Amino acid sequence: GAVVSQHPSWVICKSGTSVKIECRSLDFQATTMFWYRQFPKQSLMLMATSNEGSKATYEQGVEKDKFLINHASLTLSTLTVTSAHPEDSSFYICSAQTAYGYTFGSGTRLTVV
Amino acid sequence: GESVGLHLPTLSVQEGDNSIINCAYSNSASDYFIWYKQESGKGPQFIIDIRSNMDKRQGQRVTVLLNKTVKHLSLQIAATQPGDSAVYFCAEARVAQKLVFGQGTRLTINP
């Protein structure tokens, strides 16, 4: 089946630095990738939708200059959290749209100290 | 904005009993619904889905019921096992568009 590989699975960074999270579709081409954020004991909140070769569409309230999304190829989408602060600490999950529905990455636990 | 909500944030059941998790959705234009299971520190795991032209769909030990009249979705798990302990989310979408997730229900199994 369709598999999305997400890396890293966890990362700790210092406040003010940037962190890049990668999601790769391993056996299919992902035209559309969704990025979610999940705080403890809460649901997944959609941050943005990225389409290969075009600018990402951000949900209301999500800062596009802080959460940079790149979807330059059909198998790779990246989310860069720029100038990270402790309040950005969260679980970030990508999801690719497939012919059969949606498939999710395993998530990245970001801790900003 | 529109959202998908759940009636119960937690559910505790005896091992071997059936579990029923409920979900209310607000977007009447949604035509695709999915139930996911999420274990701690992991991404959502697909359980079962249903399209709006159906009102019931069965899988292995799971059944999803859709009532479009009252915009209600439920997940039934038969003979609940310890491995079923997790948080369950419903999600809704228009086909091939973004998924909106509900609040989640934590299912715990009593031995």
Side-chain angles (χ1 to χ4, degrees):
Chain A
V3 176
V4 172
S5 176
Q6 183 171 348
H7 293 282
S9 57
W10 61 270
V11 58
I12 302 173
C13 72
K14 291 185 177 180
S15 185
T17 62
S18 296
V19 173
K20 180 184 286 189
I21 301 169
E22 293 187 349
C23 279
R24 295 181 182 272
S25 56
L26 297 186
D27 49 2
F28 69 101
Q29 294 182 327
T31 304
T32 302
M33 192 78 80
F34 303 99
W35 286 94
Y36 293 85
R37 177 169 53 182
Q38 185 178 31
F39 292 107
K41 299 183 179 180
Q42 293 189 23
S43 185
L44 284 75
M45 297 300 297
L46 181 66
M47 300 174 66
T49 301
S50 72
N51 292 293
E52 186 268 337
S54 63
K55 290 184 178 180
T57 302
Y58 289 82
E59 295 297 303
Q60 190 173 7
V62 177
E63 299 174 61
K64 63 180 182 184
D65 294 331
K66 180 172 183 61
F67 299 99
L68 302 180
I69 291 173
N70 184 286
H71 195 160
S73 78
L74 288 171
T75 58
L76 175 64
S77 178
T78 62
L79 167 67
T80 301
V81 182
T82 63
S83 187
H85 289 93
E87 57 266 30
D88 298 323
S89 298
S90 188
F91 193 54
Y92 292 86
I93 308 171
C94 62
S95 173
Q97 194 173 295
T98 74
Y100 307 101
Y102 305 85
T103 186
F104 286 82
S106 54
T108 297
R109 172 74 59 194
L110 170 63
T111 302
V112 185
V113 298
Chain B
E2 295 189 282
S3 64
V4 182
L6 289 170
H7 295 305
L8 296 173
T10 60
L11 177 65
S12 183
V13 300
Q14 291 295 125
E15 182 177 350
D17 287 352
N18 297 334
S19 301
I20 300 176
I21 301 172
N22 296 302
C23 175
Y25 65 94
S26 57
N27 186 353
S28 56
S30 295
D31 51 15
Y32 182 50
F33 304 88
I34 311 172
W35 280 100
Y36 289 96
K37 173 185 180 183
Q38 187 181 31
E39 296 174 309
S40 181
K42 297 183 179 180
Q45 175 187 351
F46 174 91
I47 299 174
I48 191 168
D49 61 359
I50 189 168
R51 298 197 182 275
S52 59
N53 61 350
M54 303 175 68
D55 53 20
K56 179 179 181 179
R57 190 164 187 223
Q58 288 185 294
Q60 187 177 10
R61 282 202 306 122
V62 294
T63 301
V64 55
L65 299 178
L66 174 63
N67 186 329
K68 295 182 290 292
T69 302
V70 296
K71 291 186 284 188
H72 184 268
L73 193 68
S74 69
L75 174 70
Q76 300 178 5
I77 304 174
T80 311
Q81 303 169 357
D84 295 328
S85 293
V87 178
Y88 290 81
F89 293 97
C90 64
E92 54 99 0
R94 296 192 65 181
V95 174
Q97 297 190 14
K98 61 185 181 183
L99 277 176
V100 174
F101 281 80
Q103 293 180 352
T105 293
R106 178 169 296 281
L107 177 65
T108 60
I109 314 303
N110 300 320

